[in-house]
Amino acid sequence: MASKLELNDLIRRDNFIDGKWVAAASGKRFGVTNPATGEVIADVADSSEADARAAADAAARAFPAWRDALPRDRAAVLHRWHDLIMENANALGRLISLEQGKPFAEGRGEVLYGASYVKWFADEATRIYGDIIPQQQRGKRMTAVKEPVGIVAAITPWNFPLAMIARKIAPALAAGCTVVGKPAEDTPLTALALVLLAQEAGVPPGVLNLITASRENAVPAVAAWLHDSRVRKITFTGSTPVGKYLARESAETLKKLSLELGGNAPFIVFDDADLDAAVTGLLASKFRNGGQTCVSPNRVYVQSGVYEKFGDMLAKRVAALKVAPATDPDAQIGPMINARAIDKIARHVDDAVAQGARILAGGKRLDALGPNYYAPTVLLDATPQMQLSCEETFGPIVPLFRFDDEAEAIRSANDTPFGLASYFYSQDIRRIDRVSRGLEAGIVGINEGALASEAAPFGGVKESGYGREGSKYGLDDYLSIRYLCQGCLE
Ligand code: NAD
């Protein structure tokens, strides 16, 4: 196979189990649609428990050899995979745009972002250290070594179809685990393409297995892994209710869990903020992927003294954003993922307006463009009673809440069960220290809207989950510690 591929060469329709592309045992398939048009792009395997079990069987057979492979050999495979992803960044970016809808520049950006995790963990594979514990007794030596947890089941959402699965597979393989995976039913093609490149990079048969399933069949298929005692870890990115379900169901076999769940990120603008920087930071964090991002600001709190001015500055910039299909080179916001997403956005805006919110920009569907488009929207006079205050909107809506003092802003920001990302803008160094300690969130952006990096620990607190992806901590979730105590040494 040539290493540089066109988009069509990257499309795979079958499951990847034990190094082979195989149809679902039932022979069933389901269609993947382009959210910009509603047209079917391809049909893929609609897997069941039988396929999930076959994937786990393959992962179990492959585990001993992969666990015992030299770290530098595992690293070499991951480096080759990284290089292939980079060589095919344009085609992968186009595939992401096609099935997920984000503009091509963002799709390609996601490829580079996902690839950065593969490279990071390829390097980390060779740096998994243990400890020699200072001697406590004569004749006894105590050491702690780290070893892979075993088979990892990776379940991912549709909003970053490449990055979310790459940042699970890469640390798992680096640690010496084998993987069974299931991508979201809306966007399975990118994950299949990624696995195709992993195959070309030389990942041995059974080390990485991927099955696809419709939402209906995903539940029993994943349940087969949840109840399989050989699967030792679940790594999940998705909504909080599904994360809680996975935690409950896997409790029977006490699996290790990493849960990257929903957010409801606050973004606070203090009177003393650099307002231009705050508007730019808000645009960058809010409108990435049209607001369909777990770290996307959902509630924007603006201090009374700058409330109207900030609203006007923001509305001008938001009204200028170009909404268009991903294929338009000038597109800044594409379609939302599906009809359910659009309906939720419209429900949130309608509810806010009914409760007194004023529309400063947008506030309507853009049906002339296609079935799933919504205008980027700025709402004034948002209140905590509105649905958009307590639910994650996951769309291009910016509600502006007014506040008077710092304590009130922190209290409001923390008044949510979630705790993934948070942001604030201020130029007062003492306030920066206080607020960055006061916010209940795993990630805090201080005068900065773009937070993601493979070198930083990404993850939440409260009902946004636990576990960290990326950084030097990112491997810990895939490792367990073995304590060795050797006696009779004197
Ligand atoms: P989702 O929870 O509906 O689905 C996520 C995955 O779980 C999909 O693969 C889906 O098929 C699968 N799934 C759903 N129900 C299941 C069940 N009962 N059993 C087994 N598998 C099941 O989430 P989504 O709509 O795809 O993604 C959006 C959500 O993901 C948002 O809440 C967003 O905040 C969150 N998210 C979080 C992060 C993070 O890092 N914290 C990143 C991206 C997205």
Side-chain angles (χ1 to χ4, degrees), residues 155-160 164 167 182-186 213-215 218-220 222-223 226 236-240 242-243 245-246 259-263 293-295 340 392 394 420 458-460 464 469:
I155 298 145
T156 51
W158 49 265
N159 60 345
F160 288 89
M164 294 299 105
R167 72 186 199 185
K182 192 209 73 65
E185 54 280 3
D186 289 303
S214 61
R215 172 68 63 130
V219 178
V222 169
L226 296 175
F236 172 73
T237 300
S239 62
T240 293
V242 176
Y245 158 82
L246 297 175
L259 300 175
E260 298 279 352
L261 307 178
T293 304
C294 54
V295 291
R340 256 186 302 136
E392 190 183 23
F394 236 52
L420 186 57
F458 189 102
S464 290
E469 293 190 325

Side-chain angles (χ1 to χ4, degrees), residues 269-290:
V269 182
F270 289 101
D271 278 346
D272 57 43
D274 173 337
L275 293 189
D276 283 321
V279 169
T280 301
L282 180 55
L283 286 169
S285 54
K286 177 69 222 183
F287 293 106
R288 190 166 167 224
N289 201 15

